[in-house]
Amino acid sequence: MEEAKLVNVRKSKKGKIIGEIQFADGKKMSIPEGASVTESLNNTECEVKRKDGNIVLIMVKGKEIYKKTSIVSKGKSNTVQQNNVFRNRGGRRNNYQRATTPSMRVSKAHAPYNFIPLNDNNKVVQGQERPDFDCYYKQDNVNGLRRFNGYVDCKLETITPLYIRDTYTAEELKKKDDSNMDNPEFFSPAGAIRIPGSSLRGMTRTLVEIMSWGKFGFCDKDRKLFFRAVGDTTSLGDYYRGLMMDQEDNLFPNFRAGLLKKTDNNYRIYPSQEIKGTQIYRVNFDRKTRLVANSDIKLKEFTFSKIYFKPIAPENHIHHDFRGRPYQLKYALVTEISTRPMQGYVEGMLVSSGNLGNKKHFHWIVNMPKGNDDFDITNWVTQYIQDENRDERINLLKELETNPDGVPCFYIRTETGEIVFGHTGLFRIPYLYNIGDHIPAELKKEEITDMAEAIFGKVSKVSKDDTFASRVFVEDAFLEPGQSNVYLSEQPLTPKILSNPKPTTFQHYLEQDPNCSQRSLNHWNAQGKSIRGNKLYWHRKASDWKFEGDKTESEKQITSIKPVKPNTKFWFKIRFENLSEAELGAILFALDLPKGHYHKLGMGKPLGLGSVKITPTLFIIDRESRYNCLFSGKYWHLGIKQVETKEFKEAFEKYVLENINSSVPLWDHKRMKQLKTMLDWSNTEINGWHKETEYMDLKEFRKRQVLPSPIEVKDKFSKD
């Protein structure tokens, strides 16, 4: 038994007693449903027994207030018991009870990416004092710091194919039939192949942030993520189902329906009237013919149509799970529908949502509005727009452009007072917290200027006085002369289909207890849980990155590219002004990696593309000498001198170690070891590495497996 405390015990809006159990380590878990808890027990000490990450027993002052028992007794299958089973499963035909058994404890995932942990104790190393921008400083001490001007010549060699997409010119767009088609050519303004300096700058800055213990940057901190967790086996699924469906009334909808309209720049919802106790109905359709039951009406996915139907009151309907066990759902099932008015029929809107791979067998019907109880939702439209993963076919705001009389929608008010809405009954809703809420406060303080900001510039949201320009300028990388036939193929190639990064995969992007179960995974609704850190991609040998599927079936997802082949050589220059020894060392430390460790750049990184080797050479410009002398022999006197990088890298390393109070070499620090592991090309020689660093298939993904750390991934092979 563990010592703990009952905290935040209170009554919910529906009159239920809810609360949390706080353990000695500060972690909290929700009080299980069915526990004999009253508000008087708030802040009361208790004893808790956990098994496989789940609470199985709670004792208060020697009295048992909760003991987990099997929901369905062996050999029994009455309707009430089966409804309880169904509630725990979220209404899906899966045995979700297995989520709390040892066999469903979260196992290890694999992916082409991983994360560099956040700074130890959320410590941020502040940048050094910045110089003025109106002059070049000498190389002697200025406010205790030496300042340097010059440039770094960089050779870049591709280890695997590299691709950075080009754009179309205005003239090329005029000649194209499809303006949305991607340009397959490698980035080549004016016909010259090059790597844009912005890509090189972003790659370098990210590494400087990590290596210098900087703030967590380059993240849309205000962005909210969306989810739909009808059948999710985690506590997130419990939250979603509890919000959207009445758990005490056989999952009768809690969400509402109405018409969404736009007037001028305002958006309003006109609620559907209630007939026979409901706004919303179901009507079955044939999955083969797509015809609505007892009619000749056929709707495509994500469309709607005005119809007439005979309303019916909600009642319980018996369904069966995948094992044939019965359970009840409450809804109003319409069986009489027409495209024209009929006696006893009312007007409504027939709404077709997604087919779920031809598994869905019903459409929604919603009543038309009546009365003047409409309300403004303009304040929540911006949030709706933020859902970047929404299929554009179900964008209600775009539908309004062609349907000014309104489009049917479903909506609900969340516990925070927000109104969220969607195109179907069980629509996607935003998490309670945005991404920034999961970044520790110390790692996003505007008033702190870290080393990356001091070098690369900063746009402050707090004060214009704290906004300043960059002292580093990264030029485009051009092909080294003498190379021909640099393309991997003269014809565009089709890579395997890749979608955008999915931060909604919370079991990867958020810190997780290594021994947690599916039900106790941290998700974006979990307050105070930190993100994993900076996301980087593993090196992989690009051996099977080409698409071999049916292009006609995947037409909307495939693209074409013309990458350059391995061993293609580029060169580029990074100019810098008034950098201190440590600041210049930070740039060099990020560029000049240990032997056999490479950078990642461009598109297709999950497939193995974009591994590059960079070799920097440092040149310092003595500005005073440059302008005091005109000639050096037969040439202009430029005051340029090639110097070794060692002293600058050591100055950077010393500065960081002193500020994090560490005495071990920087690359030997436990956090930097994770980074070094990810940059190590020798991993690609490990037998089984390719499988370990590819995306999981859908069956694996549904298990909500936790992603191990980079070193844990590597150690797996050494143990094997």
Side-chain angles (χ1 to χ4, degrees), residues 1-2 23 29 48-57 66 68 99-103 105 515-517 519-520:
M1 300 285 283
E2 303 174 66
F23 294 91
M29 293 181 69
V48 179
K49 182 178 180 181
R50 286 191 282 186
K51 184 177 180 181
D52 304 321
N54 297 281
I55 296 172
V56 295
L57 181 64
Y66 174 76
K68 183 176 179 182
T100 60
T101 66
S103 63
R105 184 177 294 169
N515 297 315
C516 67
S517 66
R519 186 157 296 279
S520 59

Side-chain angles (χ1 to χ4, degrees), residues 137 346 638:
Y137 288 87
V346 299
L638 300 178

Side-chain angles (χ1 to χ4, degrees), residues 310-446:
K310 191 170 185 178
I312 188 170
E315 57 184 18
N316 292 325
H317 298 265
I318 295 178
H319 291 253
H320 294 82
D321 67 10
F322 76 107
R323 290 183 177 176
R325 298 179 299 187
Y327 58 86
Q328 289 190 6
L329 291 178
K330 185 177 181 180
Y331 54 87
L333 181 63
V334 168
T335 57
E336 298 179 64
I337 184 172
S338 173
T339 55
R340 60 183 185 275
M342 294 181 66
Q343 187 174 1
Y345 283 38
V346 299
E347 186 179 26
M349 300 293 284
L350 177 63
V351 182
S352 169
S353 54
N355 291 331
L356 293 177
N358 288 329
K359 292 181 180 180
K360 197 165 185 177
H361 60 85
F362 69 89
H363 291 316
W364 300 100
I365 295 178
V366 301
N367 290 325
M368 300 300 291
K370 185 178 182 180
N372 298 316
D373 55 349
D374 56 291
F375 53 92
D376 193 297
I377 62 162
T378 306
N379 290 340
W380 292 285
V381 166
T382 300
Q383 180 172 265
Y384 179 85
I385 295 171
Q386 286 183 332
D387 187 2
E388 297 177 357
N389 293 323
R390 181 185 295 109
D391 190 320
E392 281 303 298
R393 294 177 297 170
I394 57 176
N395 189 324
L396 294 178
L397 305 185
K398 286 196 172 182
E399 285 292 326
L400 282 175
E401 295 174 5
T402 53
N403 295 277
D405 292 334
V407 296
C409 74
F410 300 82
Y411 64 93
I412 197 166
R413 188 181 293 272
T414 69
E415 61 195 69
T416 58
E418 297 175 317
I419 294 175
V420 293
F421 57 96
H423 73 291
T424 186
L426 298 171
F427 53 88
R428 291 162 59 82
I429 64 174
Y431 286 94
L432 295 176
Y433 307 107
N434 57 34
I435 294 176
D437 292 329
H438 295 275
I439 301 173
E442 294 82 355
L443 297 182
K444 55 181 181 180
K445 282 186 177 178
E446 279 289 332

Side-chain angles (χ1 to χ4, degrees), residues 445-568:
K445 282 186 177 178
E446 279 289 332
E447 57 269 29
I448 294 178
T449 297
D450 62 19
M451 182 169 278
E453 289 174 324
I455 295 171
F456 290 94
K458 179 180 180 180
V459 178
S460 175
K461 296 179 181 178
V462 176
S463 170
K464 289 184 179 180
D465 295 335
D466 200 27
T467 295
F468 49 87
S470 174
R471 287 178 284 147
V472 169
F473 314 94
V474 184
E475 298 178 357
D476 290 351
F478 290 87
L479 283 173
E480 284 194 1
Q483 299 179 95
S484 59
N485 301 321
V486 297
Y487 286 118
L488 192 64
S489 168
E490 286 304 317
Q491 298 301 317
L493 302 171
T494 302
K496 286 183 177 179
I497 296 171
L498 287 175
S499 57
N500 293 327
K502 295 293 189 297
T504 46
T505 310
F506 49 78
Q507 66 271 24
H508 291 186
Y509 282 76
L510 288 173
E511 289 287 357
Q512 304 292 345
D513 184 331
N515 297 315
C516 67
S517 66
Q518 282 188 6
R519 186 157 296 279
S520 59
L521 283 168
N522 294 328
H523 47 73
W524 296 104
N525 267 4
Q527 190 174 18
K529 303 302 180 182
S530 295
I531 56 175
R532 289 281 297 271
N534 295 85
K535 179 181 177 182
L536 298 179
Y537 287 90
W538 290 107
H539 289 301
R540 309 176 75 224
K541 290 185 177 178
S543 55
D544 65 344
W545 61 271
K546 298 172 188 174
F547 180 75
E548 297 177 353
D550 186 346
K551 293 186 179 181
T552 58
E553 290 185 4
S554 309
E555 188 175 355
K556 293 182 179 180
Q557 294 177 288
I558 63 174
T559 187
S560 296
I561 64 175
K562 283 185 68 175
V564 296
K565 59 190 177 184
N567 306 121
T568 303

